[in-house]
Amino acid sequence: MASLPTALFVLVACGLAAQWLAVRGYLRTIRSAARLRSRNQNVWPHAALLFSVRGDGRGLSDRLEQCLSLDYPGFEIHVVVDHETDPSYTVARDWAHGREAPRAFVHLLQEISPSCSLKCSAVRQCLERLGGAVEVAVVVDVDSRIYPLWLKDLVGGLNEYGAGIVSGNRWYDPTTAGWGSLVRFIYNAHAVVPMQAMKMAWGGSLAMHRDVYASPVIPELLWKSPTEDSAMHRIAEAVGTPFAMDPHVMLLGRDSVSLPGCFDFIKRQLLWTRLYHERWWLIFFGLLASYAVLASQTLCAAWMLWAGKPAVAAVFAAGPIAAIVANVAIVESLHRSVSAVIKTFQGADVPPITWSIRAALVVWMPLAFATIVLAASSAAVARRVRWSGVDYRVLAPDGLRLVAYRPVQDFPAFG
């Protein structure tokens, strides 16, 4: 019996060692990107910011106002709303009215694809109608908290990495109130490493060169791709351009979320991954196997303790305890490095992980593991998904079908 807990502990230790090596590689990438970064280009291409908005518009004008603080010589703003009765349409139109610098345009979505998200349809329409002066199209979520030099950093990455498409990523404030917010912080901290390694696009902060988005194959690819994230990989492959993840264009999120809301968020993100990434099943079964080992160790430790064998119970419990402590250390190490990048390049202070947050991470790490695994399992078998009040049917192996569309009345704005 003693050999089993020992073998399981060795298995967990090997897994943690592999995880730490991956994290160290990511941290080296962040530091090298920071050393390479230059904002001293003499000429900057004219850019177009594309926002897809749906909802009541609360905070929409404030988020659009953030664009006015961008340190970039020439750009325009395009906002797409899917219906004229949507409150966001009035907010965006009032904000854009009479604006000359930057020029702002508000569009109604004319064609809704039955095979992709509304946002993907909106991006498609915008790209097709951009003027000849636009050299770079930038897709950005309306809830992304951009910083003054964000556009230069993102667009500059096209030259720096020699890529036709460059994507940034996001990080969350660990001090944001709510259990769901802390679980989301833990999930995101674990997600940024594989996203960088497997070049998984994020459509909340993404730039495309004109040579890419003006290709005649783009409209059809966007019409049939479930999300703009999945479309970027198909576009890069079709056009024959490199795709790059810029690890230091990191947008900080501070909005709170409930635990059910966090579960839906993680499920949706993993479902999108399932629909386009060839390594989805590797991700899913890796999560499942890791959690199965830790859960079985925990149950066996409780069983041995009940059976009056505390020494064996301790060996069984050593695996889950080591996993919790190691993951707290990994999350904190990532947070320190990402915070340093945000401070250096954005001038923003990110709250550090204090002893109280560290204690909360220790307590909530098992809940985060369980939530992520349950969300991944739900994403693996999902046949329907609701996104901002719109229902979609999931089609095997990589499709999405709009079930029913209706103008939104009281959902929060999204991008």
Side-chain angles (χ1 to χ4, degrees):
M1 184 67 180
S3 60
L4 177 60
T6 302
L8 289 176
F9 178 78
V10 171
L11 185 62
V12 170
C14 290
L16 292 174
Q19 184 181 1
W20 177 244
L21 288 174
V23 169
R24 288 193 64 184
Y26 177 78
L27 296 178
R28 282 196 299 270
T29 301
I30 285 183
R31 291 159 190 154
S32 64
R35 287 194 297 269
L36 289 171
R37 174 60 60 193
S38 172
R39 294 165 173 168
N40 298 321
Q41 290 182 208
N42 293 322
V43 180
W44 291 94
H46 190 71
L49 307 187
L50 314 183
F51 292 92
S52 172
V53 181
R54 175 177 166 84
D56 65 8
R58 284 173 295 185
L60 174 58
S61 60
D62 291 338
R63 296 303 172 89
L64 292 174
E65 282 289 325
Q66 287 183 340
C67 299
L68 304 184
S69 66
L70 287 172
D71 180 6
Y72 196 88
F75 66 95
E76 57 194 53
I77 298 170
H78 294 261
V79 180
V80 183
V81 186
D82 59 87
H83 200 276
E84 62 185 1
T85 62
D86 192 314
S88 291
Y89 181 59
T90 302
V91 173
R93 189 177 55 185
D94 291 345
W95 182 86
H97 181 68
R99 194 171 295 279
E100 296 182 359
R103 297 180 67 193
F105 307 88
V106 181
H107 314 276
L108 286 173
L109 185 57
Q110 301 299 318
E111 292 184 280
I112 297 177
S113 169
S115 305
C116 69
S117 68
L118 291 181
K119 182 181 177 182
C120 209
S121 291
V123 170
R124 174 182 179 271
Q125 176 178 303
C126 244
L127 292 178
E128 286 189 302
R129 301 182 183 187
L130 289 179
V134 177
E135 298 176 71
V136 176
V138 180
V139 182
V140 55
D141 283 348
V142 77
D143 59 355
S144 295
R145 296 176 180 270
I146 59 177
Y147 54 94
L149 286 165
W150 161 76
L151 192 52
K152 279 188 175 180
D153 286 342
L154 194 61
V155 173
L158 293 171
N159 288 332
E160 183 174 331
Y161 295 102
I165 306 174
V166 170
S167 172
N169 214 325
R170 60 188 156 195
W171 193 257
Y172 289 100
D173 182 347
T175 64
T176 303
W179 296 349
S181 301
L182 189 60
V183 170
R184 183 187 56 189
F185 169 74
I186 294 170
Y187 162 77
N188 187 74
H190 285 83
V192 293
V193 176
M195 284 183 71
Q196 180 70 33
M198 296 189 285
K199 296 183 177 181
M200 300 165 71
W202 177 47
S205 177
L206 184 145
M208 287 180 284
H209 194 275
R210 182 177 181 83
D211 292 343
V212 176
Y213 75 76
S215 171
V217 303
I218 302 307
E220 183 178 1
L221 287 174
L222 285 169
W223 189 257
K224 296 180 179 179
S225 298
T227 67
E228 76 284 358
D229 301 351
S230 62
M232 292 307 122
H233 289 268
R234 297 175 183 182
I235 288 171
E237 183 178 354
V239 178
T241 185
F243 169 82
M245 289 286 293
D246 192 330
H248 99 278
V249 184
M250 193 73 75
L251 299 185
L252 183 65
R254 285 193 164 106
D255 55 308
S256 62
V257 65
S258 65
L259 190 56
C262 175
F263 177 86
D264 290 340
F265 166 78
I266 297 173
K267 174 186 173 181
R268 190 169 60 247
Q269 296 302 307
L270 293 176
L271 176 58
W272 299 157
T273 305
R274 167 194 157 188
L275 292 179
Y276 80 87
H277 207 285
E278 59 184 7
R279 297 185 184 178
W280 152 251
W281 290 110
L282 179 63
I283 297 171
F284 174 62
F285 285 119
L287 280 173
L288 210 60
S290 299
Y291 187 75
V293 170
L294 294 175
S296 63
Q297 285 179 302
T298 303
L299 292 174
C300 287
W303 178 28
M304 288 295 100
L305 193 61
W306 180 79
K309 299 179 180 180
V312 179
V315 179
F316 270 122
I321 292 172
I324 292 171
V325 173
N327 275 275
V328 170
I330 285 172
V331 167
E332 185 167 355
S333 178
L334 286 167
H335 184 69
R336 281 198 304 268
S337 295
V338 172
S339 298
V341 167
I342 292 175
K343 175 65 175 179
T344 300
F345 292 95
Q346 302 179 27
D349 291 314
V350 182
I353 294 180
T354 60
W355 277 107
S356 60
I357 297 173
R358 199 171 290 125
L361 288 172
V362 170
V363 172
W364 289 106
M365 192 67 72
L367 174 64
F369 289 164
T371 302
I372 294 169
V373 170
L374 288 174
S377 301
S378 183
V381 299
R383 293 295 176 263
R384 292 175 75 96
V385 61
R386 170 168 287 194
W387 189 11
S388 196
V390 179
D391 291 321
Y392 301 90
R393 188 166 69 251
V394 180
L395 305 177
D398 58 359
L400 205 65
R401 177 69 61 176
L402 181 67
V403 175
Y405 165 79
R406 64 182 177 88
V408 71
Q409 298 297 326
D410 56 354
F411 295 97
F414 86 103

